[in-house]
Amino acid sequence: MIVKPFAALRPQKKYVKECAALPYDVMSSNEAREEVKGKPYSFLHIDKAEIDLDKWVDLYDDRVYQKAADNLREFEQVGVYQQDKQKKFYFYRQIMKGRAQTGIVGCASIDDYLTEKIKKHELTRADKELDRIRHVDACSAQTGPIFLAYKKSSALDEIIFSETAKEPIYDFVSEDGIEHTVWESSSPMVDVAIEKAFGDLGALYIADGHHRAASAVKAGLKRRESNPNFDGTEEFNYFLSVIFPADSLKIFDYNRLLRELNGMSVESFLLEVEKSLGKVEEVDGDEPYRPESLHTVGLYVGKKWYKVTFRAELCEDASPSKRLDCAILQKRLLAPVLNIEDPRTDKRIDFVGGIRGLKYLEKRCTEDALAAISMYPVAMDELIAVADAGEIMPPKSTWFEPKLRSGILIHKI
């Protein structure tokens, strides 16, 4: 694997808490407009630049991308952001409710992506890719890091342990209570050791940010076409990444809401669930049912929670992606019983990240849904098995928390 140090464009320490922002794709434009009130240097002014234009301007209008570039240039000109002089690696730790994850910030190779050494587990949509390609092109910078993971590497783990014992360059707590700490590597020797350790790995895995990764790669290929004499050292040959040890990451449940039951009554639906999936048991008490193991789901319908245990034969497929609970659910219930063939586009189903909690599912079932399904989270080992097999997970399989913040470290290309 090739992972390189880079000279980050980054905010002055006094601005970093205001600058740091959630990824552009986890909030709407209206939510972003509310979020930036009183925050003139929030990175959302760059990542979601439509918030600084009239509401009637289309999200994909040329003016949006130009505004992003203008805002980034302004942030540099007034001194909010400054360019590091030397290339180096950085280290980024997040602590959420006492659980820490620490990754190395560097630039991964677009060639490793193209040769599938950087492994994917999701499909991407062309329209979402094009949006970020245009954004990278206009800003001439990669603004949102891709969330990557590596299998066990004692060498990298030891470097992280040693380097993060030193004085950080940033340390702040965001409004949602998550602690963010950033260090820079202490010497060129450390950078060489990091490059070597990554070079010894056989693969990296995209945990989150498939669209950002695909867009960064295609933006780099576009630059190669415009620069036919490129030699591979140019910054556009690499994309901004935060790379974590896989065993430090937590995947949350990604739950389902059903707006219709295909005309069935609650009783008929429960019978179909039992025929399609397995044993259905009503859950006692007032608390939502959170699945405690693989191959079980919770079902909330008719103001009651049920535990659904999949029949063993449904879980024995040789394919890692087809053994996933969400795949079994789609194949055995959503498609044949509810006629939800494409959950990416079907308006009768909605997806809710587990960070919102199961009470939120109950609330939605009083507003715009008839039933909810609580899922057991996918494990990192399952994600890696799917990626190693060259397979694709069903839509909305994984929800990672905490989300990486944009605007802390930027890679100019």
Side-chain angles (χ1 to χ4, degrees):
M1 302 302 303
I2 299 173
V3 181
K4 295 288 189 182
F6 70 108
L9 178 68
R10 59 187 182 89
Q12 290 193 54
K13 191 172 185 176
K14 63 182 178 181
Y15 294 115
V16 67
K17 182 175 179 178
E18 178 181 338
C19 290
L22 286 165
Y24 75 98
D25 54 354
V26 302
M27 66 181 78
S28 68
S29 299
N30 286 336
E31 288 171 332
R33 287 187 175 93
E34 288 297 314
E35 176 66 23
V36 301
K37 286 181 177 177
K39 299 176 183 176
Y41 299 124
S42 167
F43 203 72
L44 291 171
H45 292 288
I46 295 161
D47 256 2
K48 291 186 76 68
E50 72 273 9
I51 64 177
D52 293 331
L53 301 172
D54 291 333
K55 287 188 175 184
W56 52 264
V57 175
D58 186 81
L59 293 179
Y60 307 118
D61 192 288
D62 288 345
R63 286 169 288 184
V64 175
Y65 304 100
Q66 185 59 53
K67 187 63 175 174
D70 292 345
N71 285 346
L72 180 58
R73 189 180 309 110
E74 179 188 346
F75 284 17
E76 290 185 73
Q77 289 173 346
V78 300
V80 173
Y81 277 84
Q82 297 179 337
Q83 182 80 51
D84 277 348
K85 298 293 190 290
Q86 302 294 327
K87 291 184 179 182
K88 64 191 77 171
F89 285 103
Y90 304 83
F91 306 87
Y92 179 21
R93 173 176 294 157
Q94 297 172 297
I95 300 177
M96 176 181 175
K97 296 181 179 178
R99 185 184 64 82
Q101 58 186 37
T102 307
I104 297 173
V105 189
C107 290
S109 163
I110 68 173
D111 290 307
D112 282 346
Y113 181 95
L114 293 168
T115 57
E116 299 185 349
K117 292 180 181 178
I118 297 175
K119 299 189 177 187
K120 306 175 282 290
H121 66 266
E122 282 185 10
L123 297 174
T124 55
R125 283 172 37 191
D127 58 337
K128 291 184 70 175
E129 284 184 22
L130 181 59
D131 169 51
R132 286 299 104 174
I133 292 169
R134 294 174 69 189
H135 192 274
V136 170
D137 254 349
C139 295
S140 204
Q142 296 155 357
T143 59
I146 287 80
F147 188 157
L148 300 179
Y150 61 86
K151 292 180 181 177
K152 184 68 177 176
S153 166
S154 297
L156 288 173
D157 293 350
E158 288 171 12
I159 292 170
I160 290 173
F161 180 80
S162 173
E163 291 293 292
T164 57
K166 300 167 186 176
E167 187 71 20
I169 55 175
Y170 302 129
D171 189 12
F172 65 95
V173 177
S174 51
E175 292 173 354
D176 55 3
I178 296 170
E179 184 176 349
H180 305 264
T181 311
V182 179
W183 296 261
E184 57 187 353
S185 65
S186 58
S187 73
M189 290 179 58
V190 171
D191 295 331
V192 170
I194 292 172
E195 284 194 70
K196 181 182 183 307
F198 276 121
D200 291 338
L201 296 178
L204 295 174
Y205 299 86
I206 300 177
D208 203 5
H210 282 77
H211 285 93
R212 291 193 294 276
S215 301
V217 170
K218 289 181 178 178
L221 293 176
K222 187 177 177 184
R223 298 263 170 142
R224 285 181 174 183
E225 289 179 6
S226 302
N227 298 273
N229 295 320
F230 76 92
D231 61 15
T233 63
E234 299 86 356
E235 293 299 322
F236 57 70
N237 293 290
Y238 302 91
F239 58 89
L240 179 63
S241 305
V242 187
I243 313 171
F244 294 88
D247 59 7
S248 73
L249 301 178
K250 178 178 175 61
I251 304 176
F252 283 71
D253 43 313
Y254 213 154
N255 302 311
R256 275 74 173 140
L257 284 167
L258 304 174
R259 291 196 171 92
E260 296 179 14
L261 299 180
N262 203 21
M264 287 180 282
S265 67
V266 170
E267 293 75 16
S268 297
F269 180 60
L270 287 170
L271 288 173
E272 290 294 335
V273 171
E274 191 156 27
K275 283 195 294 185
S276 302
L277 296 175
K279 187 177 181 180
V280 177
E281 304 170 83
E282 186 175 338
V283 177
D284 293 331
D286 297 327
E287 289 302 307
Y289 176 69
R290 183 178 299 280
E292 300 167 344
S293 62
L294 280 173
H295 308 320
T296 61
V297 299
L299 173 62
Y300 183 69
V301 65
K303 298 184 179 180
K304 293 180 181 179
W305 278 97
Y306 300 86
K307 175 183 177 180
V308 182
T309 305
F310 295 172
R311 290 192 299 277
E313 66 268 19
L314 303 184
C315 312
E316 296 170 352
D317 200 293
S319 161
S321 63
K322 293 179 181 177
R323 288 197 302 268
L324 296 173
D325 287 351
C326 49
I328 295 168
L329 184 72
Q330 175 62 34
K331 180 180 179 180
R332 300 291 177 173
L333 181 70
L334 299 183
V337 176
L338 298 179
N339 292 330
I340 297 174
E341 298 289 347
D342 186 353
R344 291 176 183 274
T345 58
D346 200 306
K347 301 301 184 184
R348 293 171 297 170
I349 188 168
D350 197 6
F351 300 88
V352 179
I355 193 69
R356 287 185 175 268
L358 300 186
K359 285 290 187 182
Y360 177 78
L361 300 181
E362 293 183 357
K363 177 176 179 291
R364 286 286 300 274
C365 286
T366 67
E367 298 172 348
D368 62 346
L370 292 182
I373 301 172
S374 59
M375 307 293 297
Y376 188 75
V378 172
M380 276 302 299
D381 286 348
E382 292 180 291
L383 183 154
I384 288 172
V386 170
D388 280 342
E391 298 178 2
I392 297 298
M393 285 187 172
K396 311 296 186 182
S397 298
T398 59
W399 182 277
F400 284 89
E401 287 285 349
K403 300 294 185 187
L404 302 182
R405 289 326 196 249
S406 298
I408 300 177
L409 300 167
I410 299 167
H411 177 224
K412 299 192 77 174
I413 64 168

